[in-house]
Amino acid sequence: NAGVTQTPKFQVLKTGQSMTLQCAQDMNHEYMSWYRQDPGMGLRLIHYSVGAGITDQGEVPNGYNVSRSTTEDFPLRLLSAAPSQTSVYFCASSPSDRLNTEAFFGQGTRLTVV
Amino acid sequence: DQQVKQNSPSLSVQEGRISILNCDYTNSMFDYFLWYKKYPAEGPTFLISISSIKDKNEDGRFTVFLNKSAKHLSLHIVPSQPGDSAVYFCAARDSGTYKYIFGTGTRLKVLA
């Protein structure tokens, strides 16, 4: 019963490096999203997707790219990492953006950019 | 511009008493509201939700109240237990964009 799986759990990057945070869900959910959690800022929406092939920007999209080629996967790409992107990243999925259902979250990826 | 606000960063309550967590929002397009609980080093887990057509939803010890005219919702936990100690986030869904927007969280500490 995997649910939402995020990899890696921890990552340290040097400024300017690129990397992809992986997110996979096995519940056939249409809606997926990425958040970052920072002290005092709560959870802020980075990007979201309402289905395969469709993505849109959230509150803080700059410096991040996403794609949704399959229903199951929603990777988040950091193009050129900056110290301001040090954060804990959460991926979430829900059956549909339109139904009144909750989102299920992964365990998070703690990213440090030095 | 914070659309969902939790103005109390922390709250301490004695075991067995009521915990009341508050949340205010500004966007009148929000139509569905949720509360999540988060323990350290874990992802948020869903607690309870309420549709904008209702003003109250109850699930065991947890009750969520929605006051649409005041754009305010609250979560009541009765009785509070030490295991309830966690960070609580309220969230709201925008019926136009279907984005889920979260508040900044309230850290609840239930004292034994």
PDB file of all heavy atoms in Angstrom, chain B residues 9 11 20 22 32 45 49 58 68 72-73 111:
ATOM      1  N   PRO B   9       0.797  31.076  15.876  1.00  0.00           N
ATOM      2  CA  PRO B   9       1.837  30.101  15.522  1.00  0.00           C
ATOM      3  C   PRO B   9       1.864  28.907  16.469  1.00  0.00           C
ATOM      4  O   PRO B   9       2.282  27.817  16.086  1.00  0.00           O
ATOM      5  CB  PRO B   9       3.142  30.887  15.632  1.00  0.00           C
ATOM      6  CG  PRO B   9       2.740  32.311  15.731  1.00  0.00           C
ATOM      7  CD  PRO B   9       1.342  32.362  16.257  1.00  0.00           C
ATOM      8  N   LEU B  11       0.033  26.985  20.292  1.00  0.00           N
ATOM      9  CA  LEU B  11      -1.053  26.902  21.254  1.00  0.00           C
ATOM     10  C   LEU B  11      -0.726  25.775  22.224  1.00  0.00           C
ATOM     11  O   LEU B  11      -0.337  24.676  21.802  1.00  0.00           O
ATOM     12  CB  LEU B  11      -2.361  26.594  20.525  1.00  0.00           C
ATOM     13  CG  LEU B  11      -3.611  26.350  21.350  1.00  0.00           C
ATOM     14  CD1 LEU B  11      -4.035  27.633  22.046  1.00  0.00           C
ATOM     15  CD2 LEU B  11      -4.755  25.834  20.471  1.00  0.00           C
ATOM     16  N   ILE B  20      -8.787  24.865  20.423  1.00  0.00           N
ATOM     17  CA  ILE B  20      -9.463  25.579  19.335  1.00  0.00           C
ATOM     18  C   ILE B  20      -8.399  26.219  18.443  1.00  0.00           C
ATOM     19  O   ILE B  20      -7.632  27.066  18.896  1.00  0.00           O
ATOM     20  CB  ILE B  20     -10.424  26.658  19.866  1.00  0.00           C
ATOM     21  CG1 ILE B  20     -11.499  26.012  20.743  1.00  0.00           C
ATOM     22  CG2 ILE B  20     -11.069  27.409  18.683  1.00  0.00           C
ATOM     23  CD1 ILE B  20     -12.448  27.006  21.389  1.00  0.00           C
ATOM     24  N   ASN B  22      -7.683  28.287  14.878  1.00  0.00           N
ATOM     25  CA  ASN B  22      -8.418  29.199  14.005  1.00  0.00           C
ATOM     26  C   ASN B  22      -7.729  29.432  12.670  1.00  0.00           C
ATOM     27  O   ASN B  22      -6.498  29.316  12.563  1.00  0.00           O
ATOM     28  CB  ASN B  22      -8.597  30.548  14.706  1.00  0.00           C
ATOM     29  CG  ASN B  22      -9.497  30.441  15.914  1.00  0.00           C
ATOM     30  OD1 ASN B  22     -10.639  29.991  15.801  1.00  0.00           O
ATOM     31  ND2 ASN B  22      -8.996  30.832  17.059  1.00  0.00           N
ATOM     32  N   TYR B  32     -13.997  24.663  -0.493  1.00  0.00           N
ATOM     33  CA  TYR B  32     -13.789  23.414   0.250  1.00  0.00           C
ATOM     34  C   TYR B  32     -12.594  23.645   1.159  1.00  0.00           C
ATOM     35  O   TYR B  32     -11.568  24.188   0.730  1.00  0.00           O
ATOM     36  CB  TYR B  32     -13.531  22.269  -0.743  1.00  0.00           C
ATOM     37  CG  TYR B  32     -13.382  20.896  -0.149  1.00  0.00           C
ATOM     38  CD1 TYR B  32     -14.377  20.360   0.666  1.00  0.00           C
ATOM     39  CD2 TYR B  32     -12.277  20.104  -0.442  1.00  0.00           C
ATOM     40  CE1 TYR B  32     -14.258  19.085   1.191  1.00  0.00           C
ATOM     41  CE2 TYR B  32     -12.152  18.828   0.086  1.00  0.00           C
ATOM     42  CZ  TYR B  32     -13.147  18.328   0.897  1.00  0.00           C
ATOM     43  OH  TYR B  32     -13.032  17.060   1.408  1.00  0.00           O
ATOM     44  N   THR B  45      -1.049  14.731   7.194  1.00  0.00           N
ATOM     45  CA  THR B  45      -2.118  13.745   7.048  1.00  0.00           C
ATOM     46  C   THR B  45      -3.462  14.434   7.232  1.00  0.00           C
ATOM     47  O   THR B  45      -3.611  15.312   8.098  1.00  0.00           O
ATOM     48  CB  THR B  45      -1.993  12.588   8.046  1.00  0.00           C
ATOM     49  OG1 THR B  45      -1.906  13.123   9.365  1.00  0.00           O
ATOM     50  CG2 THR B  45      -0.774  11.748   7.765  1.00  0.00           C
ATOM     51  N   SER B  49     -12.633  17.768   6.949  1.00  0.00           N
ATOM     52  CA  SER B  49     -12.898  18.784   5.934  1.00  0.00           C
ATOM     53  C   SER B  49     -14.335  19.280   6.049  1.00  0.00           C
ATOM     54  O   SER B  49     -15.163  18.695   6.758  1.00  0.00           O
ATOM     55  CB  SER B  49     -12.659  18.212   4.535  1.00  0.00           C
ATOM     56  OG  SER B  49     -13.559  17.136   4.287  1.00  0.00           O
ATOM     57  N   GLU B  58     -18.462  17.121  11.927  1.00  0.00           N
ATOM     58  CA  GLU B  58     -17.942  16.503  13.134  1.00  0.00           C
ATOM     59  C   GLU B  58     -17.429  15.096  12.825  1.00  0.00           C
ATOM     60  O   GLU B  58     -18.054  14.349  12.065  1.00  0.00           O
ATOM     61  CB  GLU B  58     -19.088  16.415  14.151  1.00  0.00           C
ATOM     62  CG  GLU B  58     -18.698  16.196  15.579  1.00  0.00           C
ATOM     63  CD  GLU B  58     -19.885  16.397  16.516  1.00  0.00           C
ATOM     64  OE1 GLU B  58     -20.939  16.872  16.066  1.00  0.00           O
ATOM     65  OE2 GLU B  58     -19.747  16.062  17.696  1.00  0.00           O
ATOM     66  N   LYS B  68     -18.916  31.519   6.811  1.00  0.00           N
ATOM     67  CA  LYS B  68     -18.606  32.076   5.501  1.00  0.00           C
ATOM     68  C   LYS B  68     -18.654  33.589   5.490  1.00  0.00           C
ATOM     69  O   LYS B  68     -17.868  34.242   4.804  1.00  0.00           O
ATOM     70  CB  LYS B  68     -19.577  31.521   4.451  1.00  0.00           C
ATOM     71  CG  LYS B  68     -19.239  30.123   3.981  1.00  0.00           C
ATOM     72  CD  LYS B  68     -20.161  29.681   2.885  1.00  0.00           C
ATOM     73  CE  LYS B  68     -19.989  30.502   1.630  1.00  0.00           C
ATOM     74  NZ  LYS B  68     -20.860  30.016   0.527  1.00  0.00           N
ATOM     75  N   HIS B  72     -14.062  32.629   8.076  1.00  0.00           N
ATOM     76  CA  HIS B  72     -13.338  32.078   9.218  1.00  0.00           C
ATOM     77  C   HIS B  72     -13.721  30.623   9.428  1.00  0.00           C
ATOM     78  O   HIS B  72     -14.896  30.259   9.327  1.00  0.00           O
ATOM     79  CB  HIS B  72     -13.681  32.894  10.472  1.00  0.00           C
ATOM     80  CG  HIS B  72     -13.047  32.378  11.726  1.00  0.00           C
ATOM     81  ND1 HIS B  72     -11.759  32.696  12.094  1.00  0.00           N
ATOM     82  CD2 HIS B  72     -13.527  31.545  12.679  1.00  0.00           C
ATOM     83  CE1 HIS B  72     -11.472  32.090  13.227  1.00  0.00           C
ATOM     84  NE2 HIS B  72     -12.522  31.382  13.614  1.00  0.00           N
ATOM     85  N   LEU B  73     -12.714  29.797   9.696  1.00  0.00           N
ATOM     86  CA  LEU B  73     -13.032  28.435  10.127  1.00  0.00           C
ATOM     87  C   LEU B  73     -12.194  28.090  11.344  1.00  0.00           C
ATOM     88  O   LEU B  73     -11.148  28.709  11.592  1.00  0.00           O
ATOM     89  CB  LEU B  73     -12.848  27.403   9.022  1.00  0.00           C
ATOM     90  CG  LEU B  73     -11.486  27.091   8.444  1.00  0.00           C
ATOM     91  CD1 LEU B  73     -11.514  25.686   7.868  1.00  0.00           C
ATOM     92  CD2 LEU B  73     -11.150  28.062   7.318  1.00  0.00           C
ATOM     93  N   LEU B 111      -0.536  19.317  26.996  1.00  0.00           N
ATOM     94  CA  LEU B 111       0.253  19.023  28.179  1.00  0.00           C
ATOM     95  C   LEU B 111      -0.431  17.965  29.042  1.00  0.00           C
ATOM     96  O   LEU B 111      -1.611  18.091  29.352  1.00  0.00           O
ATOM     97  CB  LEU B 111       0.445  20.318  28.984  1.00  0.00           C
ATOM     98  CG  LEU B 111       1.028  21.485  28.173  1.00  0.00           C
ATOM     99  CD1 LEU B 111       0.914  22.786  28.952  1.00  0.00           C
ATOM    100  CD2 LEU B 111       2.470  21.190  27.796  1.00  0.00           C
TER     101      LEU B 111
END
